Structure formats: structure tokens, C-alpha cells
Amino acid sequence: MAEVHIIGEIVGASGFPSHNLYCKWSIHTENSWRLLEGNHQGQTQVDNPQNEDLAVWDHPIDVHYATKSLYGWPKMYFEVWHQDAFARHELYGYGFCNLPTSPGTHEVQCVTWRPTGTFQDQIRQVFVGGGMEIKDSSVIYTSNDRCNLHTIAMGTIHLQLGIILRHFDKYGVEY
């Protein structure tokens, strides 16, 4: 079977309205893909940059997949969360990106967004906290229903990834 190694890091995030951010992430594939080694999901630490716009996570990613098909190439899914002074957690954004298909080193930017809800929901969020969350996260990276969501743009997640492809030539795949 052909193999894909994904090695790199979630560098951090920028452009969010406040600090104390952390990120939950996962890698999603279709049934023809099999995880050989590594963690396909995780969570970064909380970072509170004092004088910078960039929350630095430097969270490592090291996964190894085997596949019979190019269908369902890996995608990364993100949730960015904010932790306030009272240790309450508020969703700041969702995002996903397709991982690069060519071997080599890549810098990937993943833009994020969050659902806004109705005007009443927005007012409630300002005074009470919390916010709208999506019940089924698979809608974010698999569905065409995203176009029906009312959202607001949030920040950007920065990734540095190395992609290594192995045995693709044996299966007639040129890159």
C-alpha cells in the first residue's frame, strides 16, 4: 500500500480578538486510509502572548498513514478555544484545510470562523458569554450545508508541515 507521512507542527494562531487561546485538532480521512502510527487528534496548550498578536503553540504533528486510494486525502479540522480569567472556555472558531498532496515542506494557513446565530444569540453572547456551537463537527469538513450557516470570520491558524510519500510510484501515482 502507498504511504503518507505527515510531520510538522501547529505553529500558532493570529488575528483572534483576544489572547489565552488553545486549539483542538484532528485529522480526518476516508475508509480507504489506515493510521499506522501517531496521534490523529490532540490539543495544544493555552498561550497568552503579552505583546504579540501570535499565540504560539508549536504543537508537534507526526502521523503515518497507508492507503489504497487517493480518495479521502487527509484533512485537518480545528477548533480554537479561548480561556478567560475565570477558567471558562468559549469557542472562538472552527476551521479545516486539506493537507498538501505534494511531497516537501509546506506552510499552510487555515482561516477560521464561528457561527453567529440570531441577533438575540449575539446579544446573549456579549452579556452572558458562551456562543453558538455546531452539534455535529463533520458538517465543517464534509458537508455542503456550510453555505447555509451564518458565520463571522475569526483568526488564522499557521502550520508548517512536511509531507513524505512512499510507494506511490508502485501504484501508478505520479507526483
Side-chain angles (χ1 to χ4, degrees):
M1 292 199 316
E3 298 177 16
V4 177
H5 296 259
I6 303 162
I7 303 168
E9 65 181 348
I10 303 172
V11 176
S14 61
F16 286 90
S18 61
H19 300 294
N20 284 348
L21 302 175
Y22 66 96
C23 177
K24 296 179 181 181
W25 62 273
S26 59
I27 299 175
H28 294 272
T29 59
E30 295 296 328
N31 293 335
S32 60
W33 291 75
R34 185 169 49 105
L35 180 66
L36 298 177
E37 289 183 86
N39 293 324
H40 71 283
Q41 62 186 3
Q43 177 177 317
T44 69
Q45 80 280 358
V46 177
D47 185 44
N48 184 15
Q50 297 300 315
N51 298 321
E52 298 178 22
D53 182 41
L54 180 69
V56 178
W57 294 320
D58 292 333
H59 185 81
I61 297 171
D62 187 356
V63 293
H64 181 189
Y65 285 100
T67 183
K68 299 176 193 171
S69 169
L70 292 178
Y71 177 74
W73 190 267
K75 300 174 189 173
M76 283 197 79
Y77 162 71
F78 300 97
E79 292 180 4
V80 177
W81 291 80
H82 170 257
Q83 178 179 313
D84 69 10
F86 302 106
R88 294 179 298 191
H89 302 268
E90 176 182 8
L91 177 72
Y92 258 27
Y94 294 106
F96 85 94
C97 60
N98 292 306
L99 295 179
T101 57
S102 61
T105 304
H106 305 273
E107 290 189 15
V108 178
Q109 311 297 317
C110 179
V111 295
T112 62
W113 51 268
R114 67 174 171 83
T116 56
T118 64
F119 181 70
Q120 286 180 326
D121 293 329
Q122 293 176 30
I123 296 296
R124 187 179 312 117
Q125 181 176 358
V126 169
F127 291 108
V128 180
M132 303 295 294
E133 294 182 27
I134 294 177
K135 290 181 182 178
D136 181 12
S137 64
S138 67
V139 169
I140 295 165
Y141 53 87
T142 61
S143 177
N144 293 330
D145 293 336
R146 282 190 311 271
C147 63
N148 296 329
L149 297 173
H150 297 278
T151 63
I152 185 170
M154 294 304 278
T156 303
I157 299 171
H158 308 279
L159 306 154
Q160 289 181 343
L161 300 174
I163 307 295
I164 301 170
L165 305 179
R166 183 174 177 215
H167 300 309
F168 274 70
D169 54 343
K170 289 183 181 180
Y171 295 94
V173 179
E174 296 179 14
Y175 49 88

